[in-house]
Amino acid sequence: MRPVELPPAETSLPDLFVKRLQEILPQQRLHDCLQSFTHPRATSFRVNTLKAADPEVISGLRADGFLLSRVDWRSGTYCVPPEQRRALTDTRFFNEGMIYIQDLSSVLAPMVLDPQPGERILDLAAAPGGKTLQMAAMMENLGELSAVESVKSRYFRLKANLERGGATMVRTYLKDGRAVGAQVPARFDRVLLDAPCSSEARFNLNDPKSLTHWSLKKVQESARKQKRLLDSAIRSLKPGGTLVYCTCSFSPEENEQVVDSQIRRHGDAVAVLPIALPLSNLQPGLLKWGKRAYAEQLRHAVRVLPDAAMRGFFLCRIMRNR
Ligand code: SAM
């Protein structure tokens, strides 16, 4: 493979991480990806329709001097320049839960899951609750939305965010998501598993702490937990139900390999479904990594390639057939 010339700041990423990225991403996207670890990105937020109407919030923020741009692929989603982020968190719109600051790639997961009012939905790794809140808004607070989180401090943050956002339909559970599939098998119409991961797409070279924890061992540890969480998510789905598995990691071990392990375990009781998104910074799932070959259906998975507007992400939509 032709070596890619790296801008100086990016050379302080772990060598092994950069080497792996060179093998995972299309060569022509690598430079943008590496830039995304240093360059400040616009702050994106969603208007929380459980608390306020879009025009009221937007005209209020414009009157307060915010330079808003509309995200053209998702209604109710906007950006402000990075230097206005701090001021945005001081507004009443933020403090009263009328807006929720959320990465654009993270907005995609509930979009792909597409929960409907009246359905029974599970969010299996929920804190701090951005996606739970987004799903409650999509469901207009109608139906059943269960949010599970295993880390106590994060569980209380989740509860506070849901309360501030007016998500009255949500039942929260402080428990290990790995046990849920056995406790409530075949219960949910749709499940979101936004899995705990090595958070590679969140690396920020202006905040070296964001990458000190990274190692191949950490990636492998995450993968072990993710497999058990995904197995639990599949078991908790009704036959005919769908789930979205997502991470903010680039590593195939935490993405395609996790899904592949569950295809091997559950056989044709599960199937990977195509994902349609109105974006061009997407790459289909990998079908091999190192010596491993993955199930052909993993081509339907999507790796969101980071750019000036959004962080990297991985999404896979899975159906339980029986
Ligand atoms: N979906 C969240 C959002 O949009 O705000 C972000 C979820 S974050 C990627 C993953 C979460 O899973 C973390 O809050 C982590 O504490 C939690 N977690 C880790 N292990 C877990 C487990 N065994 N069961 C349930 N949650 C777990």
Side-chain angles (χ1 to χ4, degrees):
M1 183 168 301
R2 188 161 59 85
V4 173
E5 205 174 303
L6 304 176
E10 278 118 21
T11 55
S12 48
L13 289 162
D15 287 346
L16 180 59
F17 172 69
V18 175
K19 185 168 170 290
R20 284 162 57 88
L21 269 188
Q22 286 175 313
E23 288 167 29
I24 296 166
L25 302 181
Q27 176 118 355
Q28 70 277 19
R29 300 306 290 248
L30 191 62
H31 192 268
D32 278 2
C33 174
L34 293 170
Q35 292 277 352
S36 77
F37 298 125
T38 36
H39 287 214
R41 140 180 334 103
T43 292
S44 47
F45 67 89
R46 283 186 309 100
V47 175
N48 175 16
T49 50
L50 297 176
K51 284 300 268 295
D54 195 289
E56 174 202 339
V57 173
I58 295 315
S59 58
L61 286 171
R62 287 216 163 100
D64 288 349
F66 287 95
L67 302 170
L68 299 177
S69 53
R70 190 183 290 274
V71 173
D72 58 9
W73 48 264
R74 186 63 177 171
S75 66
T77 309
Y78 298 84
C79 293
V80 295
E83 52 286 4
Q84 289 196 318
R85 183 188 182 97
R86 184 71 193 272
L88 191 64
T89 62
D90 286 337
T91 61
R92 72 182 178 89
F93 301 103
F94 178 83
N95 288 311
E96 293 173 19
M98 291 186 258
I99 61 170
Y100 192 92
I101 293 178
Q102 195 172 343
D103 286 341
L104 289 182
S105 48
S106 147
V107 170
L108 298 172
M111 273 174 70
V112 172
L113 188 66
D114 197 25
Q116 300 296 312
E119 286 185 334
R120 199 176 262 173
I121 309 292
L122 170 65
D123 187 347
L124 195 57
K131 297 180 192 71
T132 322
L133 197 51
Q134 185 182 350
M135 293 196 289
M138 291 169 81
M139 296 171 76
E140 299 163 15
N141 255 340
L142 298 170
E144 190 183 306
L145 177 51
S146 300
V148 172
E149 169 61 45
S150 66
V151 177
K152 204 170 189 179
S153 56
R154 292 180 64 85
Y155 171 79
F156 287 110
R157 200 164 147 221
L158 165 72
K159 276 181 81 82
N161 280 337
L162 295 175
E163 192 173 325
R164 187 170 57 171
T168 51
M169 72 179 303
V170 184
R171 289 188 215 162
T172 54
Y173 299 89
L174 175 59
K175 61 159 57 211
D176 191 326
R178 289 173 286 196
V180 171
Q183 286 167 352
V184 281
R187 178 177 173 87
F188 296 97
D189 296 301
R190 302 181 206 240
V191 177
L192 177 65
L193 174 53
D194 182 21
C197 69
S198 62
S199 302
E200 293 168 340
R202 302 183 74 86
F203 285 180
N204 174 0
L205 285 170
N206 303 309
D207 172 16
K209 281 205 302 293
S210 68
L211 40 127
T212 47
H213 68 274
W214 189 87
S215 66
L216 197 51
K217 190 160 171 263
K218 167 77 189 167
V219 168
Q220 288 158 348
E221 266 169 33
S222 293
R224 274 197 290 280
K225 186 177 214 184
Q226 289 155 348
K227 284 176 190 164
R228 292 188 57 200
L229 281 166
L230 183 54
D231 181 43
S232 173
I234 291 168
R235 290 176 196 277
S236 73
L237 258 188
K238 285 180 188 167
T242 55
L243 75 79
V244 168
Y245 173 76
C246 56
T247 75
C248 59
S249 165
F250 296 100
S251 289
E253 292 89 338
E254 297 183 72
N255 295 317
E256 288 90 343
Q257 204 156 303
V258 171
V259 178
D260 188 69
S261 74
Q262 298 311 305
I263 294 172
R264 288 169 196 270
R265 176 183 289 250
H266 294 274
D268 61 6
V270 295
V272 178
L273 302 178
I275 292 177
L277 287 172
L279 298 170
S280 57
N281 54 322
L282 305 177
Q283 177 192 12
L286 302 178
L287 297 186
K288 65 182 184 56
W289 176 246
K291 291 192 180 124
R292 284 178 195 257
Y294 301 138
E296 227 280 315
Q297 47 187 309
L298 271 155
R299 72 191 150 84
H300 294 311
V302 161
R303 196 171 261 99
V304 177
L305 303 170
D307 60 15
M310 62 174 77
R311 288 200 171 108
F313 211 63
F314 176 88
L315 292 153
C316 188
R317 191 159 72 103
I318 300 168
M319 180 168 181
R320 177 169 177 182
N321 295 320
R322 53 183 157 75

